[in-house]
Amino acid sequence: MLLSDLGRVGFDPFLEMRRMQQEVNQRLAGLTSAAQEFPPVNLWVGEDSVALTAELPGIAPDEVDLTVRENTLTLKGECQAGAEDEKSVWHRRERPYGSFARTVQLPFRVDPEQVEARFANGLLEVELRRPEADRPKKIQIKG
């Protein structure tokens, strides 16, 4: 926009601001995927337990540190970068590497003694049980 455009009849500054906002949104649209948390997780809630799955491709089970405290689950580990040839020039590099830590807030306290974790084909499955004392109890009404 030229300064001379400010004096012309029919100039709409709000239209110009909307055009600029659209341009900024288009330029930033490609950056949103880089900001995702790693590893991606799914969480299911049942009456007495919580189930979590996490995608950890290319990571061995012994390279993952899983800790539970009260109603918080933390996954830590490191994704190793593949072997690089000094002559290679990357065309595209989207897979993350380096250390990661992901903390997930659970909907209720869990018993650390009743946690089962399984790992197969890059998928971590964790089942966390609610302590017996914290489970809802049905109260019989006398009448």
Side-chain angles (χ1 to χ4, degrees):
M1 176 178 81
L2 299 173
L3 288 177
S4 61
D5 288 345
L6 289 174
R8 75 181 158 103
V9 177
F11 175 73
D12 183 0
F14 296 105
L15 180 64
E16 183 63 22
M17 289 181 67
R18 282 192 296 273
R19 186 195 63 74
M20 289 174 21
Q21 181 67 48
Q22 286 177 337
E23 187 176 325
V24 168
N25 288 345
Q26 287 173 350
R27 291 179 188 231
L28 295 177
L31 300 177
T32 57
S33 63
Q36 291 181 348
E37 294 187 66
F38 186 85
V41 298
N42 289 338
L43 187 71
W44 294 269
V45 179
E47 266 186 50
D48 299 331
S49 65
V50 175
L52 177 130
T53 59
E55 295 179 10
L56 297 164
I59 300 173
D62 58 342
E63 296 174 341
V64 179
D65 182 24
L66 179 67
T67 57
V68 176
R69 183 175 197 182
E70 300 271 330
N71 64 336
T72 304
L73 174 112
T74 302
L75 294 164
K76 291 182 183 179
E78 187 168 352
C79 300
Q80 301 295 326
E84 292 187 26
D85 183 7
E86 292 179 16
K87 298 177 185 176
S88 298
V89 177
W90 286 97
H91 176 68
R92 182 175 296 232
R93 190 171 194 171
E94 296 179 355
R95 292 187 62 199
Y97 66 92
S99 61
F100 64 88
R102 178 85 190 260
T103 300
V104 178
Q105 191 79 28
L106 303 172
F108 46 73
R109 283 185 343 111
V110 294
D111 184 355
E113 302 300 320
Q114 294 186 12
V115 176
E116 291 181 33
R118 296 173 294 283
F119 195 94
N121 299 323
L123 185 66
L124 174 66
E125 297 175 345
V126 183
E127 185 176 358
L128 307 111
R129 296 211 172 270
R130 194 176 212 169
E132 187 68 39
D134 286 358
R135 293 182 187 169
K137 296 193 179 19
K138 185 170 177 152
I139 307 298
Q140 184 70 31
I141 301 172
K142 298 176 185 175

